[in-house]
Amino acid sequence: MSQKPMSPKPRVAVIGAGLGGAAVAALLQKAGYPTQVYEQAPEFSRLGAGIHLGPNVMKVMRQIGIEERLEAMGSHPDYWFSRDGVSGDYQSRIPLGEFAKREYGAAYITVHRGDLHALMVEALDPSQLHFDRRLTSVDDTGSEVIMRFADGNTETADLVIGADGVNSRIRETLLGAEDPTYSGWIAHRAIVDAEKLKAYDLDFESCVKWWSPDKHMMVYYVTGDQREYYYVTGVKTPDWQHGTSFVDSSKEEMREIFHDYHPVVQALIDCTEAVTKWPLLERNPLPIWHKGRLVLLGDACHPMKPHMAQGAAMAIEDAAVLVRSLEAVGPEHYADAFELYKTNRFERASRVQQVSHDNTWLRQEEDPAWVFGHDVTTQELKAP
């Protein structure tokens, strides 16, 4: 008896080529889905920010095929230290390094976000990556999805993945227009030339978070050669009056805010050339993540404060589970696949959102295995 021919895989459009969008597109293309990626930015630049890649994310990078290159590029801290911002007393020492590889099955690295992004985008088919495409409307006709872009172009796809961030147009289509919530915290971001730090007789640790009740500063190297040292703060600030996503800050403003902090932090501020500040935005867990042929991923459905260093990680984990769900159920049953995806992501993403909101992660000694030891590439997919 002749076998029934397999139906061709559906055409997928990914809206947004950030870390989550690039991850899902790379995994879909690897799995044989014709996948187009639409990014509103005119091009990518090496934006000045760092990122933590825990073992939970590195396992997805292994699947994409860039784990080894990331390991060669990144900094490998032996510990995450939490210290009192003023006295410098140690509050926790969380082992990473060789311990992470042994216990969690992959490395824990810190890298420059732009370097990570460049590697992920390189993993995509360049002929299917489209810049300067800002989505203006999306129409699920029942048989396909019609997308219209600001440049006048119209495209169609069978399935559309909204990886388009906290102000997602796809989220808005599913749930209506609603601004994200300002969390009451801002973040400062700066990259310091580590060469300048050599003038100080101080220990600049590979991965350390300085804490006090109303502010903190997370500091780590973003390159394996330790040439670039990055800090990101969290500062309680009653309101955000600037309409933009970030504005310039200054060394003077940093000195004023962190005036009582440890000499190591003072040295970092002294060596700061440029620093920006950003509002930290959140949403409550969404009632739906998908409808018809549309599905959300990453910040589009669970934006969070960066206080666990797991925001991008959650988007990348989403990507792996979404593709696994399509493969497990069969893409023709996309509604079931999307529900399987949500079932296996909602609880974890919501928990990480909450812990990030509470800003308690690794402040004291705790076992981080529930985050770092998780493997979305092999976890059993629970039925809805």
Side-chain angles (χ1 to χ4, degrees), residues 57 103 106 122 146 149 158 216 227 234 254 288 301 312 337 340:
V57 193
E103 286 296 308
E122 264 178 48
I146 302 166
F149 295 89
D158 298 311
H216 62 253
R227 280 203 312 236
M254 292 297 297
I288 61 168
C301 55
L340 181 65

Side-chain angles (χ1 to χ4, degrees), residues 289 302 313-319 321-322 340-350 374 376 379:
W289 285 21
H302 47 69
M314 290 303 104
I316 292 164
E317 285 188 4
D318 286 349
V321 175
L322 178 52
L340 181 65
Y341 153 70
K342 185 193 173 189
T343 298
N344 285 277
R345 292 299 299 155
F346 185 82
E347 195 179 308
R348 179 169 168 85
S350 299
H374 192 66
V376 287
Q379 74 171 77

Side-chain angles (χ1 to χ4, degrees), residues 77-80 93-100 104 365-366 368 372:
D78 287 324
Y79 289 89
W80 166 309
R93 293 177 172 85
I94 307 296
L96 302 170
E98 288 305 317
F99 177 87
Y104 311 131
E365 290 293 334
E366 65 174 297
F372 300 157

Side-chain angles (χ1 to χ4, degrees), residues 43-271:
E43 60 181 2
F44 288 131
S45 53
R46 189 174 182 266
L47 294 169
I51 191 166
H52 294 241
L53 293 181
N56 51 315
V57 193
M58 290 298 275
K59 289 166 194 165
V60 182
M61 296 301 152
R62 187 178 298 164
Q63 268 204 322
I64 292 171
I66 58 175
E67 180 187 30
E68 286 179 8
R69 288 169 72 191
L70 279 168
E71 279 202 37
M73 173 193 286
S75 171
H76 293 248
D78 287 324
Y79 289 89
W80 166 309
F81 295 117
S82 282
R83 299 179 65 174
D84 182 283
V86 179
S87 70
D89 292 346
Y90 287 85
Q91 296 172 180
S92 74
R93 293 177 172 85
I94 307 296
L96 302 170
E98 288 305 317
F99 177 87
K101 285 188 179 176
R102 193 171 63 245
E103 286 296 308
Y104 311 131
Y108 189 110
I109 67 167
T110 56
V111 292
H112 192 294
R113 199 181 185 100
D115 295 342
L116 163 66
H117 197 200
L119 267 192
M120 293 181 74
V121 169
E122 264 178 48
L124 301 176
D125 178 343
S127 70
Q128 298 183 341
L129 173 60
H130 312 280
F131 289 101
D132 225 350
R133 288 291 184 89
R134 187 170 63 79
L135 186 70
T136 53
S137 74
V138 58
D139 180 20
D140 181 350
T141 67
S143 57
E144 66 174 5
V145 183
I146 302 166
M147 297 161 286
R148 293 181 179 82
F149 295 89
D151 62 3
N153 275 295
T154 298
E155 306 285 356
T156 62
D158 298 311
L159 303 174
V160 174
I161 299 170
D164 47 345
V166 68
N167 293 306
S168 166
R169 176 66 59 161
I170 304 296
R171 188 212 64 82
E172 192 176 294
T173 303
L174 297 185
L175 287 158
E178 186 189 347
D179 287 335
T181 310
Y182 171 59
S183 66
W185 289 72
I186 62 166
H188 300 86
R189 294 190 165 115
I191 288 184
V192 174
D193 178 356
E195 193 62 34
K196 292 181 167 182
L197 301 174
K198 291 176 181 170
Y200 299 83
D201 186 21
L202 294 166
D203 183 15
F204 297 97
E205 290 157 322
S206 292
C207 180
V208 56
K209 187 167 178 178
W210 302 87
W211 301 75
S212 58
D214 58 348
K215 57 184 181 275
H216 62 253
M217 182 185 279
M218 178 92 227
V219 195
Y220 52 94
Y221 289 102
V222 293
T223 53
D225 57 18
Q226 302 203 329
R227 280 203 312 236
E228 292 181 319
Y229 202 41
Y230 169 73
Y231 65 76
V232 55
T233 73
V235 180
K236 258 192 183 160
T237 308
D239 53 8
W240 176 261
Q241 299 290 11
H242 317 275
T244 53
S245 61
F246 70 94
V247 294
D248 287 332
S249 177
S250 65
K251 196 184 291 198
E252 293 67 38
E253 186 180 350
M254 292 297 297
R255 280 204 186 104
E256 193 179 321
I257 295 168
F258 290 94
H259 66 93
D260 54 344
Y261 263 43
H262 191 273
V264 166
V265 174
Q266 302 308 322
L268 278 177
I269 293 170
D270 287 343
C271 294

